[in-house]
Amino acid sequence: MSQARLILVAALAAAGLAIATTPTAGAAPQPAPSAPPVVEETPAAAHLPPEPRWPEYINGGTWPTSHVQGVVVDTENELVYWSFTQMFVKTDLAGNVIGTVEGLTGHLGDIDLNRRDGRVYGSLEYKAEEAFYIAVFDVAAIDRIGMDAETDGVLTTVHLAEVVEDFTADMDGDGVFDGDTGDTADHRYGCSGIDGVSFGPSFGDRWGGRQKLMVAYGVYSNTERTDNDHQVILEYDTRDWRRYERPLSQVDPHRSGPRSVEEKYFLHTGNTTYGVQNLEYDQHTGHWLLAVYPGVKEEFPNYPLFMVEGAERPERGEIVGQPEYEEGTLLSLLPRGLHDEATDVWGWDFDASYGLESLGDGYYYGARGRAVPDAGQEGEVHLHRWSGEPPNPFTPVAGSGEAR
């Protein structure tokens, strides 16, 4: 065959390939994936994220409070927000303090940024008053140190009646609510209040859909009961919450808030010590991350980190271990990481109980805290990248202070 004919044949073949792979006008589009891409636990080199654009380490300061309890990064405006249990702190990525909100007498827990309205939402408990709130911080207005939580107009609150009902439930029927203690049969599902919060799609939905606020229960540690072996997560649509918002009054707690939840989910992990401390939706993997203080029941593996399979649709089923048969909406653990065959519980060995922030690109901040003598508590975050390899799915980034 002549060289000219060879060139003609190659050209025709290339044209045919282009026609075969280019959609024709009016052709039905290919269906979109039904779930976000899931990063499988293959060797780390196969899924290395790009070089980080985030500081390897950020210090949130030392404050006369309890330990750091949550952290969230505003990636667009390059700001960091910190929960120090009785104080809210705003810094830049270098750790320079821009402002603080002080005077909280309750327990400020995990926090997350609502990217739709630009405000930060966090769990806020007043157990003695049987008041449980989502605190909403107007972070754009936080511009100086020492702003007051009640009088400076930067904080509103929404009351969660569902939490109160479970927290105050008289489960033993003796007509007496035993209060803030785990050494009791009271508290439905072992509810000790709320801690973990995060915005993300409904369980089973993909990223890009309507963002919901997920609120996780605290759960008392108690080895004598079996109805406290689930993590409980409430789902709320916050688009109309401004009608509920009220300024915080710590001497006269209000009760303005939704009377019901969009959905209530149950995840069987075994009992933990105070439930989900930090809840985080991870856009990179499409999964939900639940960081806990490990439980102490010997029959369970007591992992410090669990993952919920984001693309898996919840199913109705029995909430095992309850005093009477009860059905609920059940979540599924991601079947990756460490596995306990006896209980069929999956989990990971990574401590993120003080704070966990997914940056959306395969990088994460894990929070650490320490007591500083005569000064209070210091909080900081260290940068990690996703590896997906058990027992710990995160690899410290060199320079983060945690790389080995």
Side-chain angles (χ1 to χ4, degrees):
M1 184 180 293
S2 70
Q3 184 177 9
R5 292 193 65 187
L6 283 170
I7 294 173
L8 177 60
V9 169
L12 289 172
L17 178 60
I19 291 171
T21 58
T22 303
T24 58
Q30 294 297 313
S34 60
V38 175
V39 180
E40 299 292 345
E41 280 58 56
T42 53
H47 293 294
L48 282 177
E51 286 300 307
R53 61 187 182 95
W54 313 104
E56 289 86 359
Y57 166 84
I58 306 172
N59 189 291
T62 300
W63 305 98
T65 63
S66 185
H67 61 78
V68 61
Q69 185 64 72
V71 62
V72 61
V73 177
D74 182 343
T75 55
E76 181 177 348
N77 295 303
E78 299 189 340
L79 297 169
V80 188
Y81 303 106
W82 309 74
S83 164
F84 275 88
T85 312
Q86 293 92 30
M87 181 186 294
F88 182 86
V89 178
K90 174 182 178 180
T91 74
D92 61 19
L93 290 178
N96 298 308
V97 178
I98 298 170
T100 63
V101 180
E102 305 176 13
L104 294 169
T105 60
H107 179 279
L108 179 65
D110 190 16
I111 55 177
D112 199 15
L113 177 66
N114 182 347
R115 301 184 190 278
R116 184 182 62 84
D117 66 17
R119 301 186 295 172
V120 169
Y121 291 53
S123 60
L124 181 59
E125 300 179 315
Y126 295 88
K127 295 185 182 182
E129 293 78 13
E130 299 175 6
F132 298 91
Y133 296 111
I134 292 299
V136 183
F137 292 90
D138 182 4
V139 290
I142 300 174
D143 57 7
R144 66 184 187 276
I145 294 175
M147 301 187 77
D148 188 88
E150 294 182 275
T151 62
D152 276 326
V154 294
L155 172 62
T156 54
T157 51
V158 176
H159 188 254
L160 303 183
E162 183 81 10
V163 182
V164 177
E165 292 179 9
D166 286 342
F167 175 74
T168 60
D170 177 21
M171 298 300 292
D172 57 11
D174 65 359
V176 178
F177 170 57
D178 293 332
D180 180 18
T181 175
D183 188 20
T184 174
D186 287 346
H187 313 291
R188 186 175 292 111
Y189 315 120
C191 174
S192 69
I194 52 176
D195 265 307
V197 300
S198 183
F199 284 94
S202 294
F203 291 102
D205 289 350
R206 60 184 300 179
W207 176 259
R210 183 178 300 170
Q211 299 293 288
K212 302 295 184 67
L213 176 64
M214 304 296 180
V215 181
Y217 278 9
V219 177
Y220 288 108
S221 175
N222 185 321
T223 62
E224 302 301 318
R225 54 194 293 183
T226 62
D227 59 347
N228 60 353
D229 290 335
H230 289 78
Q231 306 310 313
V232 183
I233 300 177
L234 309 180
E235 177 182 313
Y236 294 97
D237 186 341
T238 64
R239 290 178 300 169
D240 66 347
W241 268 24
R242 287 188 186 268
R243 65 190 175 113
Y244 299 125
E245 292 178 29
R246 301 290 186 271
L248 176 66
S249 172
Q250 297 177 114
V251 297
D252 185 21
H254 73 82
R255 308 291 169 173
S256 175
R259 298 300 306 172
S260 60
V261 300
E262 292 250 325
E263 188 55 87
K264 190 172 190 174
Y265 302 98
F266 298 85
L267 177 69
H268 190 253
T269 61
N271 185 229
T272 55
T273 303
Y274 289 112
V276 179
Q277 296 297 297
N278 275 264
L279 179 65
E280 182 74 359
Y281 178 74
D282 179 23
Q283 186 179 352
H284 179 65
T285 61
H287 302 315
W288 289 83
L289 311 175
L290 294 79
V292 305
Y293 299 138
V296 295
K297 286 187 177 182
E298 294 182 355
E299 62 267 35
F300 287 98
N302 299 317
Y303 301 127
L305 182 71
F306 302 98
M307 293 189 188
V308 171
E309 192 161 8
E312 184 76 12
R313 291 284 180 183
E315 296 183 351
R316 294 289 297 180
E318 181 184 1
I319 309 170
V320 297
Q322 302 309 301
E324 299 180 359
Y325 180 84
E326 182 178 349
E327 288 191 353
T329 304
L330 308 181
L331 300 174
S332 299
L333 286 166
L334 177 72
R336 302 286 188 274
L338 303 172
H339 184 229
D340 180 64
E341 293 186 0
T343 59
D344 197 27
V345 171
W346 294 83
W348 304 82
D349 186 14
F350 182 77
D351 180 8
S353 57
Y354 281 3
L356 179 63
E357 171 71 349
S358 167
L359 298 167
D361 58 358
Y363 286 93
Y364 307 77
Y365 278 127
R368 296 289 179 265
R370 66 179 59 85
V372 178
D374 302 320
Q377 287 280 336
E378 181 181 30
E380 58 194 21
V381 291
H382 299 265
L383 189 65
H384 297 71
R385 66 166 55 92
W386 174 263
S387 73
E389 295 186 349
N392 179 355
F394 305 114
T395 301
V397 172
S400 70
E402 295 199 345
R404 297 293 188 265

